[in-house]
Structures are given as structure tokens and as C-alpha cells.
Amino acid sequence: MISKKCMYALKAVLALARNTGGKPMTIHQIAESEQIPARFLEAILRDLKQNGLTDSVRGKDGGYLLAIPPREISVGQIVRLMDGPWFLPPEHEKENVFDPVWEEARDKLADVLNTKHFQTLVAEQEDLRRSDIIHYNI
């Protein structure tokens, strides 16, 4: 299970990915569009900036932008940044039968998270939005 902070970070990066090429987004705009508490968002954006994923622009038209293209940011990067590694093996003195299970689960989860990039998620979200629109033809 991922933390609430991690889920908020994923949503914030997705909002910034949808805005690629646009004006910087303010904390208020991101918080409102993604329903993220602003106090959490400030800390999340600071972490993302410190790790080179976002840039901030000061001034009247300032805000946040992605520092790298969404096609280069994976879900796995954000999860590891916010929550750390998954499925750490328990500390014990000798191997046990569950160790390979945890290793396989970790590897499969990492494969899924590391191959899903935000550019793909933006496109998938647009497809979902289009399919939700009811078309009336007369």
C-alpha cells in the first residue's frame, strides 16, 4: 500500500505533466485540480524540486513546472522518492522459503511501476475523459 503523501505526489506530477508546455501552475491550482491539501503539496513539491523533477518560477506568473519531460518520469521514481523501496526482506540470520517470494513480488512490482511513464498516463487519462463524454447525435 502506498502512503497518502505518495498518492498526492503522483497526482501532482500528473497535473504538471498535463500542463507540459503551459504556464507554471501555482500550488493553489494543483491543490484544487487534484484535491490535495495545500500544506501537504508544499512539502511534496519541495521534495520533487530537490530531486530534480520540478522547477519553480518566482513572481506574479510563477509556479511549478516539470523539470524533465513526462515521458522520462516513471511512477516507480515517484513511489521510491516518497515511500522508499518496496518489499524489504525481513532481517533474519539464514534464508527462508519466503525470501524468493518477496524478491519476485518486488521485481514484478518494480517492472510495472518503472515502465509506466507520466506521458502515457496523461494520454490514458484523456482517453478516459473522452469516453465519459456522452455523445448525442440527432
Side-chain angles (χ1 to χ4, degrees), residues 37-110:
R39 66 184 177 96
F40 281 113
L41 187 56
E42 288 177 30
I44 289 165
L45 290 170
R46 185 173 43 250
D47 289 346
L48 293 171
K49 184 177 179 185
Q50 288 173 346
N51 285 278
L53 296 170
T54 61
D55 280 329
S56 61
V57 178
R58 291 179 175 229
K60 179 181 160 231
D61 294 323
Y64 286 86
L65 298 163
L66 289 179
I68 56 179
R71 70 178 176 277
E72 296 178 20
I73 304 172
S74 73
V75 171
Q77 281 176 279
I78 306 305
V79 170
R80 282 188 304 280
L81 175 64
M82 295 295 143
D83 285 351
W86 285 47
F87 291 108
L88 292 175
E91 293 184 24
H92 48 74
E93 292 180 19
K94 60 182 182 177
E95 280 193 36
N96 74 47
V97 71
F98 293 106
D99 286 348
V101 173
W102 304 134
E103 289 172 12
E104 184 179 354
R106 179 198 61 222
D107 293 346
K108 288 185 183 219
L109 180 61

Side-chain angles (χ1 to χ4, degrees), residues 4 8 27 31-32 34-44:
K4 201 160 210 80
Y8 289 153
I27 288 175
E32 189 174 289
E34 299 303 319
Q35 300 171 348
I36 302 170
R39 66 184 177 96
F40 281 113
L41 187 56
E42 288 177 30
I44 289 165

